[in-house]
Amino acid sequence: YDKSPWNRSGTLMLGHEAAFNDRPPTAEDAVGIGLIQLADGNRYERVADALAWNWQQGAMLHWHPADPEHLFTHNDRRDGRFVGVVRHTQLGEQAVLERPIYALMPDGTTAFSLNFARLATHRPGYGYAGVVDPHADDPHPAEDGIWRLDLSSGAAELVVSVAQLAARDPKPSMAGAWHYLNHIQPSRGGARIAFFHIWHRDAKQWEVRLYTCRPDGSDLTCLLDTGFISHYDWRDDDTLLVWANRPDAAPRFLLLSHAAPGFRVFGDAELKEDGHCTFSPDGRWVLNDTYPDEHQMRTLMLVRTADARRIDIARLHSPKARWWGEIRCDLHPRWSRDGCQICVDSVHEGTRQMYVLDVEGWVR
């Protein structure tokens, strides 16, 4: 939900094509990687297949910041390992990286990777099937964590290790726990990255800390440690919006800043549910959604940053009896590059599809 599917000119969108939608993908299931030709009746052109994907994040399709008009990246499984692939819309495959891509820096020089095989074990629905975790027997491996990839040379460097995080300010709940990392996101200007350090003992009760650091792993900072932390987005290079527990209070969306300790609640009365929050390109609006309510309906909304004014723009049916758990279809709303359109995934018409909504009348 933090990756725009539109290319720079707004003429193409990235999308996946799957032959099923009612079970988790296995190691044998390939997903189609394709381009949606918006000027040609939204025609879908399948350009590749990938063997590294899941329902929550696909194959990590992402337009390459170095050339967001023609270059994009995705993950794959080749020769028994997960890799990152750089592809040109017309010229095909350009490069293969030794590790899969989780996030790209805004300047297009660097990517970040983590262990998708470990996620497949400890966070099903976010990992990839088909590769054995080399650190499967280690609760907090020193040779695993966040890898920084040089997109020019292909070189990979471990910048933050799982063991390093497990040893920082240990809590009683960490005793005997399994540790892993997830949800890497660079800040808007690329000054820092944020990520989750997660641990659990029984795959049911887990805790999480929100960390940030510089791209080289230095200035490692725990920004929030309240037990439960969920979706987040960077507003700029300093401030994040995150859904999380509060000490002695119900969870809310919190604004966190490196420049000032503590947090400020955003939309206390308007936003009482977790959702996939994303700032608009100009930062004036937050795009957000909900999980299914008692009527199995999800709400899609815009929230004005200045005063948290909420505008509900759609209610979409999402039957939990059919699509839930690892195969659920979250709306995952994402912005077009000009901030005038949004794209969501939805099952309200009976199959998993991508939908585009025009929101210019509200945000301009």
Side-chain angles (χ1 to χ4, degrees):
Y1 70 92
D2 58 342
K3 298 170 176 59
S4 176
W6 281 270
N7 70 342
R8 180 170 52 196
S9 65
T11 58
L12 298 174
M13 293 180 72
L14 295 171
H16 299 83
E17 183 179 35
F20 60 93
N21 66 1
D22 55 358
R23 60 174 173 82
T26 69
E28 289 72 39
D29 291 316
V31 71
I33 304 296
L35 301 168
I36 302 170
Q37 307 282 344
L38 299 179
D40 187 13
N42 298 333
R43 178 176 58 87
Y44 179 83
E45 177 188 0
R46 189 163 178 154
V47 297
D49 290 341
L51 287 167
W53 65 287
N54 56 55
W55 288 118
Q56 296 309 304
Q57 298 172 329
M60 281 293 184
L61 279 173
H62 196 154
W63 288 104
H64 199 311
D67 180 5
E69 181 68 13
H70 303 104
L71 288 180
F72 64 95
T73 65
H74 65 85
N75 292 332
D76 198 1
R77 188 181 79 246
R78 301 184 183 181
D79 300 322
R81 62 192 179 99
F82 297 131
V83 298
V85 179
V86 179
R87 192 173 294 277
H88 192 281
T89 56
Q90 299 168 338
L91 304 177
E93 187 173 299
Q94 302 295 295
V96 178
L97 304 171
E98 66 176 72
R99 292 181 180 274
I101 294 172
Y102 196 100
L104 292 166
M105 287 288 281
D107 63 3
T109 63
T110 306
F112 294 94
S113 180
L114 48 69
N115 189 342
F116 284 93
R118 192 173 186 87
L119 283 178
T121 299
H122 297 284
R123 191 67 171 97
Y126 291 81
Y128 302 147
V131 173
V132 176
D133 177 11
H135 310 289
D137 296 329
D138 192 337
H140 36 73
E143 300 302 318
D144 189 17
I146 295 178
W147 292 82
R148 184 183 183 186
L149 310 180
D150 186 309
L151 293 176
S152 296
S153 67
E157 175 191 10
L158 183 67
V159 294
V160 179
S161 76
V162 179
Q164 176 185 2
L165 294 166
R168 285 175 63 104
D169 302 318
K171 302 173 72 171
S173 60
M174 292 183 181
W178 295 89
H179 298 250
Y180 64 98
L181 309 182
N182 204 3
H183 297 303
I184 307 169
Q185 187 184 356
S187 61
R188 290 293 179 102
R192 304 185 71 85
I193 63 170
F195 62 91
F196 287 169
H197 167 215
I198 309 169
W199 64 94
H200 71 91
R201 292 172 176 170
D202 56 7
K204 296 178 182 178
Q205 301 294 322
W206 49 272
E207 293 185 49
V208 57
R209 284 172 172 168
L210 173 64
Y211 275 93
T212 73
C213 64
R214 299 191 188 280
D216 62 0
S218 64
D219 194 23
L220 185 63
T221 303
C222 181
L223 208 57
L224 195 62
D225 180 10
T226 56
F228 176 76
I229 303 170
S230 187
H231 306 102
Y232 74 91
D233 190 43
W234 286 95
R235 188 181 69 186
D236 44 44
D237 277 338
D238 173 73
T239 305
L240 300 96
L241 179 66
V242 55
W243 178 268
N245 281 352
R246 294 178 291 167
D248 304 317
R252 285 292 187 273
F253 278 110
L254 311 177
L255 283 165
L256 310 175
S257 170
H258 283 89
F263 58 81
R264 178 167 62 87
V265 177
F266 175 72
D268 190 10
E270 299 84 0
L271 303 171
K272 298 183 179 181
E273 300 177 65
D274 188 9
H276 301 89
C277 58
T278 311
F279 285 99
S280 59
D282 62 9
R284 296 175 56 241
W285 293 87
V286 172
L287 182 59
N288 192 40
D289 62 355
T290 69
Y291 288 105
D293 60 17
E294 65 272 19
H295 305 294
Q296 302 189 84
M297 301 292 287
R298 296 176 184 267
T299 301
L300 181 66
M301 70 189 76
L302 292 165
V303 186
R304 193 161 57 192
T305 306
D307 57 5
R309 180 198 172 202
R310 171 174 165 171
I311 303 172
D312 291 354
I313 58 178
R315 293 262 293 160
L316 300 170
H317 187 225
S318 182
K320 293 177 67 173
R322 183 175 180 187
W323 287 289
W324 198 240
E326 295 179 34
I327 65 170
R328 70 184 186 276
C329 183
D330 295 341
L331 295 181
H332 286 161
R334 50 252 189 219
W335 292 95
S336 62
R337 294 176 182 268
D338 62 4
C340 293
Q341 293 181 303
I342 60 175
C343 179
V344 300
D345 304 323
S346 184
V347 292
H348 65 273
E349 292 186 307
T351 58
R352 191 184 304 252
Q353 302 293 339
M354 294 168 59
Y355 297 85
V356 172
L357 297 84
D358 191 320
V359 296
E360 184 174 11
W362 283 301
V363 301
R364 291 300 190 217

